[in-house]
Amino acid sequence: MDKIDQAIQKKHHISKNKTLNRQTWQEFEEALKGKRLFLFGVGNGADYYYEKYGQNACAEGVIENDQSLWGVDAQEIISEMAGDNYQDVKITDISVLNQYSAEEVVILISSFRYYSEIAEQLEEAGFSNYFAVLPMEANQRGGMVDPGREDRISSYTRESDKQPINKKKIVFLAMCDYAGHGKEIARQLLKLRDDLDLVWVVKDLRKRAPDGIRRISRRNNKRFIYEMSTAGIWICDTGIPSQIKKREGQVYIQVKHWASVTLKSFGYDLARFRQEKSLIEFCDYDSKIIDYIITGSEFDTATCRRGFAFEGEVFQAGSPRSDALFHGLEYRETVSQYYHLGKDKKLLLYAPTFRSKKGGEYIPQASHIDLDFAKVKEGLEKRFGGDWLILLRLHPVVAEESKKLDKPEYVVDVSDYYDSEELVAASDIMVTDYSSIMFEPAFVKKPVFLLAVDKDEYIDGERSLLIEYDHLPFPTAKSNEELVRNIVCFGQEEYDAKVQSFLDEYGVHEDGHAGERAAGFVSRLIDR
């Protein structure tokens, strides 16, 4: 199922704009004759346009509402399916249309979520000759899967499988682009040896990576399949898509995307709890092709064996992503500069997890923000002193929803920051609910407070837990009033003892060198 199928399943292709609902690709092609085409947006729809039309695709320019992209080379963002069409094109704002009459141009809207709003924006600017990728493709498919997509994927796979495997090529596939355990493993591999081809699969090519790491777009199926098919090693913290077929001689290392302890069930444990057919099918495929798992603790090893139904070799290295916590001052400066926070501010990171709306399948949705920012800020200043800022970090799968939330000026939206570990390392205190990120500040004894206003509903209906919630070593509250009391009455010495006892019980021993151990393991596999 591709992004368009997913959007159709969620009914995103149905617009309040009846004109958009009726549009077809044939009408778009007719309207385009003799006109200049502008792409509005650089999302999945833009990539799909180039995949669909190939060499016949064209565009005069690229428009974006995201100011951070203005002036960026379009070729850095648009799928490589576009070829060299954008060598000299810069992404710009809507004002570029002012130099044309409405009759001269056609605008193709690529956004799957905001195409109706963009259409209104164009109407206000005097341009009505626009089309949107999602409703046109939905009309063509009739709500069905693109029948030609499987043939294209099979063709890419057949061609790639003819190429030799490069034993020293490692492809990294992560939930959060250039982040997670793989990031630290890659950094350490770069220090360890200079004969590797390190490839990172990203959704957003704007995200930079160090010299020595090649980035490729996840949206470009042809390139993605080629790199995966010809790599000697895959390092993945989510799962391998079923379109990727593992070849003899390739090695798949699963590193999962949590640290040395996870609170919530995953893999088969979660699939059985939810009785979710698509998740069970995903686990069936992914678990069978794993060769090794890198874990962080005795508890992590046991739960990974069960969650992945894995009986092979496990290397217990610790938590590479958590190595950042042992360099807190460095990341404090990085994050402060990025958001212009000021050096004298104290930082609380509020990182709630998402909720899932059940309707045949569990669909991620932004959780209600339960935190009373004003009361918590007052409690922090009373107990710890200083001037506090609250960093709001929504889970990556619902991060865009943060832009819709009303926030006081002392709340900084960091949901778009690429690496949650750097935020944890930079912050003084954390508040969360059920996210397993709660354990990581505890590795270096930073205070963690839990606010769980819907605990029973969440645990009974949405996500089973691997650890009893009441057994966690953190002060827990069901209301903001209780949370503030926990903050004001916080005792560091008692907290440290409780946390250490918990970490000892679950076999967690982080020292900031897990990435080195994991990289050494990968290096030995290559030489083996």
Side-chain angles (χ1 to χ4, degrees):
M1 181 179 291
D2 66 7
K3 295 290 185 181
I4 291 177
D5 295 324
Q6 293 172 11
I8 292 171
Q9 186 181 60
K10 297 175 184 178
K11 308 297 184 184
H12 290 164
H13 64 294
I14 301 173
S15 169
K16 59 185 177 182
N17 184 322
K18 294 182 179 180
T19 300
L20 287 172
N21 287 338
R22 293 192 297 265
Q23 289 180 338
T24 66
W25 285 110
Q26 185 176 359
E27 291 173 348
F28 166 73
E29 292 167 6
E30 287 296 320
L32 191 57
K33 291 177 180 177
K35 305 286 176 65
R36 300 172 185 269
L37 176 67
F38 283 84
L39 280 178
F40 203 127
V42 292
N44 291 309
D47 294 332
Y48 184 80
Y49 166 62
Y50 280 99
E51 184 175 333
K52 184 178 182 71
Y53 283 92
Q55 296 300 315
N56 295 321
C58 62
E60 184 89 5
V62 181
I63 302 168
E64 253 292 344
N65 283 330
D66 184 349
Q67 297 184 29
S68 68
L69 293 178
W70 295 350
V72 173
D73 290 335
Q75 200 170 29
E76 283 289 305
I77 311 295
I78 298 290
S79 166
E80 293 184 21
M81 295 293 292
D84 297 326
N85 291 351
Y86 289 109
Q87 278 188 324
D88 301 314
V89 176
K90 302 285 186 184
I91 298 173
T92 185
D93 66 299
I94 194 174
S95 66
V96 71
L97 297 177
N98 293 340
Q99 56 190 298
Y100 303 100
S101 68
E103 293 74 27
E104 288 181 273
V105 300
V106 170
I107 299 102
L108 180 62
I109 305 171
S110 72
S111 172
F112 289 178
R113 294 293 300 275
Y114 304 109
Y115 62 91
S116 295
E117 290 83 350
I118 292 172
E120 291 178 6
Q121 183 182 358
L122 289 168
E123 290 278 3
E124 291 175 5
F127 294 88
S128 58
N129 203 8
Y130 53 76
F131 294 80
V133 171
L134 179 58
M136 286 195 294
E137 185 59 24
N139 286 334
Q140 177 165 310
R141 297 186 187 189
M144 303 297 289
V145 175
D146 174 11
R149 185 172 183 272
E150 281 193 28
D151 291 340
R152 291 196 300 273
I153 296 298
S154 295
S155 173
Y156 299 155
T157 301
R158 285 194 301 272
E159 289 302 312
S160 296
D161 284 353
K162 295 176 184 177
Q163 305 303 315
I165 293 173
N166 178 357
K167 298 292 186 181
K168 294 185 178 181
K169 180 198 285 190
I170 304 174
V171 174
F172 294 83
L173 188 61
M175 184 175 74
C176 295
D177 278 7
Y178 183 61
H181 298 298
K183 174 183 174 182
E184 186 59 26
I185 294 172
R187 288 181 61 205
Q188 296 301 329
L189 283 170
L190 287 173
K191 295 179 182 179
L192 198 58
R193 50 198 299 170
D194 59 6
D195 61 340
L196 303 179
D197 180 14
L198 304 184
V199 181
W200 205 284
V201 181
V202 296
K203 303 181 193 75
D204 188 346
L205 284 169
R206 289 173 293 172
K207 301 298 191 302
R208 300 298 173 186
D211 292 340
I213 297 179
R214 292 194 291 120
R215 296 168 303 125
I216 65 165
S217 173
R218 174 62 183 87
R219 297 168 178 166
N220 189 329
N221 278 316
K222 187 174 184 179
R223 180 69 180 276
F224 174 55
I225 290 172
Y226 169 78
E227 297 290 0
M228 291 291 285
S229 183
T230 55
I233 293 178
W234 303 334
I235 295 180
C236 177
D237 72 8
T238 52
I240 302 298
S242 59
Q243 70 193 71
I244 302 297
K245 307 305 177 186
K246 187 180 173 193
R247 299 168 65 185
E248 185 177 351
Q250 291 186 306
V251 174
Y252 170 19
I253 304 173
Q254 170 62 242
V255 294
K256 43 44 172 208
H257 53 265
W258 50 88
S260 295
V261 186
T262 183
L263 175 65
K264 296 178 288 190
S265 60
F266 61 90
Y268 279 108
D269 283 340
L270 178 60
R272 283 189 285 266
F273 174 74
R274 287 183 171 176
Q275 288 299 300
E276 191 174 351
K277 183 180 177 182
S278 62
L279 182 56
I280 292 172
E281 291 174 350
F282 175 81
C283 291
D284 284 342
Y285 176 72
D286 188 67
S287 296
K288 289 174 184 175
I289 60 174
I290 296 174
D291 294 295
Y292 303 94
I293 300 179
I294 294 178
T295 65
S297 69
E298 298 160 15
F299 175 79
D300 198 24
T301 295
T303 53
C304 280
R305 286 203 178 281
R306 190 170 71 238
F308 292 112
F310 182 72
E311 298 179 357
E313 183 176 339
V314 170
F315 181 74
Q316 199 166 293
S319 174
R321 59 178 264 170
S322 303
D323 289 354
L325 297 169
F326 295 83
H327 305 278
L329 291 178
E330 174 188 339
Y331 291 114
R332 175 61 170 262
E333 185 173 349
T334 300
V335 172
S336 294
Q337 288 180 356
Y338 188 87
Y339 288 106
H340 310 291
L341 302 181
K343 294 182 179 179
D344 59 334
K345 302 292 185 181
K346 293 189 174 183
L347 305 178
L348 177 138
L349 178 62
Y350 177 46
T353 192
F354 64 93
R355 304 298 188 270
S356 294
K357 181 180 179 181
K358 185 177 181 181
E361 300 284 345
Y362 283 82
I363 301 171
Q365 58 184 10
S367 63
H368 175 70
I369 300 304
D370 298 313
L371 198 71
D372 186 323
F373 297 123
K375 287 182 179 178
V376 168
K377 185 175 188 293
E378 183 181 342
L380 290 168
E381 291 170 352
K382 183 176 180 179
R383 168 60 180 85
F384 298 100
D387 188 10
W388 285 80
L389 294 175
I390 298 175
L391 308 183
L392 173 62
R393 170 75 170 188
L394 293 192
H395 190 281
V397 301
V398 292
E400 288 189 4
E401 298 297 315
S402 66
K403 297 181 177 65
K404 302 176 184 178
L405 302 172
D406 291 329
K407 302 173 281 288
E409 61 181 9
Y410 54 84
V411 174
V412 181
D413 184 5
V414 296
S415 300
D416 63 347
Y417 197 76
Y418 69 98
D419 191 341
S420 62
E421 285 312 291
E422 294 188 7
L423 297 174
V424 176
S427 301
D428 300 290
I429 292 175
M430 173 184 285
V431 173
T432 185
D433 45 16
Y434 315 105
S435 173
S436 293
I437 201 172
M438 67 175 66
F439 299 110
E440 295 182 81
F443 296 161
V444 290
K445 304 303 189 293
K446 289 185 180 182
V448 175
F449 298 92
L450 303 182
L451 176 62
V453 300
D454 59 345
K455 184 178 76 169
D456 295 337
E457 178 185 345
Y458 183 86
I459 296 171
D460 294 339
E462 185 167 334
R463 196 79 175 251
S464 59
L465 304 186
L466 299 172
I467 300 172
E468 288 290 332
Y469 201 78
D470 294 335
H471 185 61
L472 297 171
F474 313 116
T476 304
K478 284 192 171 184
S479 68
N480 277 277
E481 291 74 20
E482 191 177 2
L483 171 63
V484 172
R485 285 198 298 272
N486 289 340
I487 291 172
V488 172
C489 299
F490 178 78
Q492 186 72 53
E493 188 174 337
E494 180 185 357
Y495 173 81
D496 288 354
K498 221 173 166 183
V499 164
Q500 190 58 54
S501 175
F502 177 88
L503 296 179
D504 290 342
E505 179 183 352
Y506 286 89
V508 179
H509 308 287
E510 296 299 330
D511 60 2
H513 299 284
E516 296 171 32
R517 290 188 287 272
F521 172 73
V522 174
S523 180
R524 291 191 295 275
L525 279 181
I526 295 169
D527 293 338
R528 195 188 303 173

